[in-house]
Every structure is written in structure tokens, then in C-alpha cells.
Amino acid sequence: MDEVKKTYYIVLCLTGIPANIFAAFVILTRPCQLSKTTTIYLVALACSDTFCLVWAGFYNLSQLFSDTESFWDTEPVICLSIVIEYGAVLSSVWIIVAFTVERYVFLFKKTFKRSLSHPQVAIGMVVGLVLFSYAVSTSSCLIHHFTLNDSSSKIQSSTSTDECSVYSRPLLWVHFFITGGAPYFLIIVFNVLIVYNLRMHTKVQPPGGGGSAAMNRTRNHVRRLARLLLTISLTTVALGLPRFIACSFEETAAVIINLCIMLQWLNSAINFCLFCLACTAFRKECLLLFRACAARLKPSHGSPAVGYTNGGNKPCQSGVSGEKHEKNLPLPMLTLTSSTNTTGAGEMDSKAN
């Protein structure tokens, strides 16, 4: 299992980190037909997931390749790893929650649209959710210290733990709900509401898909936004929720827990694939960038090669320009050549006679 984890985390970091950085670059610099608030949330998600992959690779690979784990077993390092990991994972999940709620309000709640669907509000939400996530992760460290001194159960960083304990204390259950239950619950609820409203709007549209061109453009725009949102949020639930469920039961096998943890880190590495799958404009801009880079790296076969004329005095260029040069040779050279040929022919005749 250790060899599989080594290969997995190496490949995940080598592919996921550059892909997230490139996705953020494309969204920020290219016209992907995204609103300002959507751009802010997607760039924040890519940055947060990049930090998740950096930490996952450093933490897991340092433990898998090192012979001793004494450094990671000390109390301050354990608390620091809990704060960093919980903060990074929760930041990504809560950013997706905010993005889901904002898109739902933008699409179907016009009364709150101006107050929530604003770039400054989006930036404030991202900063506030990141601070909230690290505050909750700090409470995870305190609960870990409390349970260590009070009982034999403890909270460990989920990247290395093979066992998860069930906590009967109400405070610990509230903490578990905030770290896993609440964000995934909100994502599922608002996605259900979005799908329901889309179906209701489809039923009230004119028969045969008629209507004005403006109505059709608006309807297609809403569908594109909903497709992007549903792809990102439902993938997060599918890959992140199993870890929360597995760590809620102490009877869960260590292999299942490790697989759930690996799935959650996979969720941080596939943002580029999700954006390409759900956003046509993003996919086209990526293709244009790839083609432009390939054209620059491709050697230019049309560069003319330098040659020389029959006389060896003046350089000429081969290819098209060379042909033009040969066509414009001076007439005296041609006459000399013809006279030389006639002279040679006369000498041949005289020798033959």
C-alpha cells in the first residue's frame, strides 16, 4: 500500500499543481465568458486546492519516504499539521458552498441579486470563509489536545491516520458537523433547488422551444452557468463526502479510510478537467493557448537558405525568392552562355571535319 501511495501522491502533485495554476491563469487573463464573481470564486478555489496539494504531497511523501516519524509525532507538529490540513480542506469546501449559494441567488432570486452577486461581496466572502476555516481547524487542534489529556481518543491529521474515532461528546459532534456535515449538506440542498428551478423554468417555456432570440440566449446562459456549478459542486460531494462518512465510524477499515482520503485529495487536482468539461469558452481558450505555444516551439521550415549564383560572386536565396532571382538574371550572362555554346559547337564541327 505504501508504494501505491507514493506513486499516487507524486503523480497527483506533478499534474494537479500545474493544472490548477494554469486554470487560474486562463480564467484571469483570457475571455472565458464568466462573470466577475464567478471568476473570483473559481480562482480562489484553484488557489486553495493548489495549497491542499502542496501540503498533501509534502506531508504524505515526507512520511512515506522517511524512515522515522519522530518529527511528526511531537505535540506541536501534530497540532500544526491539523491546523494546516483542516484549514486548507475546509477553505475549498466552503468556497464551493459560497459559490453555489451565490449562483442560486443570481439565477433565481432577483431581489437579493444586487446585494450578493457583487465582486466586493465575493472577495469578502472568500476572505471570511478562509479565516473561518482556519479558526475551526484551530479548534480541531484544541479538541485534539483536550481528548489526549482527557481520554485515549484523539484527532489526528487525516492524511496519515489509519483509524478514526467516534466522539460521543456533543462538542465533538458539533465540530464534526461544521467540518463535514454542514458544507456538504448545503451543497446538496442548493443543488437540488437549482435543478428544481431549472425544471420549472423549462416547463413554462413556450412549446417547441420558441420565444424571442433574447429569451433563448438568456435560457442558454442560465443552463451553462448551472452546468458549471453542478459539475464542480457535485464532484466535490462525491469525492469529499466519503472521507467524512468513513471517519465517523470507528469500525471502518484502514484501507477504506486511506482510499477516501486519496479521493478527497484527487478532488483538489481535477479542477482543470472540470472547467474544461463544463465551460466551453474555457476549453476553447485553453486550446488557443496550446496552439499558440505549439506554433512558437515549432521550427520554421520556411526560412530561406543562402546559396550562390553560377558565377559564385553574388549570394541568392533558395526557394521562392531564389526562383525570382533566377528569373531576373542579367541578359549579358545569358548571351555569353549562348555564345559560348555556339563557339563550342563550331569547334566541334571543325574537329569533326
Side-chain angles (χ1 to χ4, degrees):
M1 187 64 183
D2 288 343
E3 295 299 326
V4 175
K5 291 170 68 175
K6 288 179 183 179
T7 306
Y8 177 80
Y9 285 112
I10 290 175
V11 174
L12 198 69
C13 293
L14 290 179
T15 57
I17 294 174
N20 283 332
I21 296 174
F22 180 72
F25 170 77
V26 173
I27 292 174
L28 284 174
T29 60
R30 307 293 293 185
C32 296
Q33 300 179 6
L34 299 173
S35 64
K36 293 182 179 180
T37 54
T38 301
T39 300
I40 292 170
Y41 283 118
L42 293 185
V43 171
L45 177 64
C47 295
S48 179
D49 285 340
T50 301
F51 182 72
C52 287
L53 292 176
V54 171
W55 170 251
F58 171 74
Y59 186 83
N60 287 278
L61 294 177
S62 63
Q63 285 195 334
L64 292 172
F65 282 100
S66 61
D67 297 331
T68 176
E69 297 182 358
S70 59
F71 174 76
W72 296 106
D73 290 337
T74 59
E75 182 67 20
V77 177
I78 291 176
C79 289
L80 180 62
S81 64
I82 291 174
V83 171
I84 295 176
E85 181 191 340
Y86 271 81
V89 174
L90 286 179
S91 296
S92 298
V93 176
W94 279 107
I95 286 173
I96 295 177
V97 173
F99 178 53
T100 306
V101 175
E102 189 272 334
R103 288 292 90 185
Y104 171 75
V105 172
F106 176 82
L107 293 175
F108 306 111
K109 299 296 180 182
K110 304 300 181 182
T111 56
F112 302 100
K113 178 180 176 179
R114 292 187 177 182
S115 58
L116 291 180
S117 299
H118 196 273
Q120 294 180 355
V121 177
I123 295 174
M125 288 292 294
V126 170
V127 174
L129 289 173
V130 170
L131 295 177
F132 171 76
S133 300
Y134 279 95
V136 173
S137 65
T138 305
S139 68
S140 302
C141 177
L142 296 177
I143 292 174
H144 163 74
H145 181 74
F146 171 76
T147 52
L148 265 181
N149 296 331
D150 187 68
S151 62
S152 60
S153 62
K154 64 179 180 178
I155 298 177
Q156 291 183 341
S157 182
S158 62
T159 51
S160 63
T161 183
D162 292 333
E163 297 181 358
C164 292
S165 302
V166 175
Y167 304 99
S168 58
R169 300 174 182 271
L171 177 62
L172 302 182
W173 281 110
V174 170
H175 176 268
F176 257 30
F177 180 75
I178 294 175
T179 55
Y184 293 117
F185 176 77
L186 291 174
I187 291 174
I188 294 173
V189 168
F190 279 96
N191 276 280
V192 171
L193 291 175
I194 290 172
V195 173
Y196 173 77
N197 282 275
L198 286 176
R199 290 181 63 88
M200 295 299 296
H201 281 72
T202 304
K203 290 180 180 180
V204 300
Q205 71 179 4
S212 63
M215 291 178 60
N216 292 331
R217 285 195 300 267
T218 303
R219 191 180 300 115
N220 293 331
H221 179 66
V222 170
R223 289 175 180 175
R224 287 195 300 267
L225 291 178
R227 182 172 66 247
L228 176 63
L229 173 63
L230 292 175
T231 302
I232 297 174
S233 57
L234 293 181
T235 303
T236 300
V237 173
L239 298 179
L241 188 59
R243 173 202 168 185
F244 170 74
I245 297 176
C247 290
S248 300
F249 301 96
E250 61 181 354
E251 295 85 5
T252 308
V255 177
I256 297 177
I257 294 175
N258 285 325
L259 291 176
C260 293
I261 294 170
M262 293 166 71
L263 284 177
Q264 185 179 41
W265 293 127
L266 177 64
N267 180 52
S268 300
I270 60 174
N271 288 322
F272 177 78
C273 298
L274 296 179
F275 297 165
C276 289
L277 179 65
C279 185
T280 305
F282 178 84
R283 183 169 61 250
K284 290 181 178 179
E285 293 299 327
C286 291
L287 290 176
L288 290 176
L289 285 176
F290 289 148
R291 290 173 182 173
C293 294
R296 291 182 179 180
L297 296 176
K298 187 177 180 181
S300 57
H301 298 288
S303 58
V306 178
Y308 292 91
T309 60
N310 294 331
N313 295 325
K314 296 180 179 181
C316 67
Q317 294 177 343
S318 62
V320 180
S321 58
E323 293 177 359
K324 292 182 179 179
H325 186 80
E326 291 176 1
K327 289 181 181 179
N328 296 326
L329 286 174
L331 291 178
M333 185 179 294
L334 295 177
T335 56
L336 287 174
T337 305
S338 61
S339 64
T340 304
N341 292 335
T342 55
T343 305
E347 293 176 357
M348 294 289 291
D349 292 338
S350 63
K351 289 180 181 180
N353 294 328

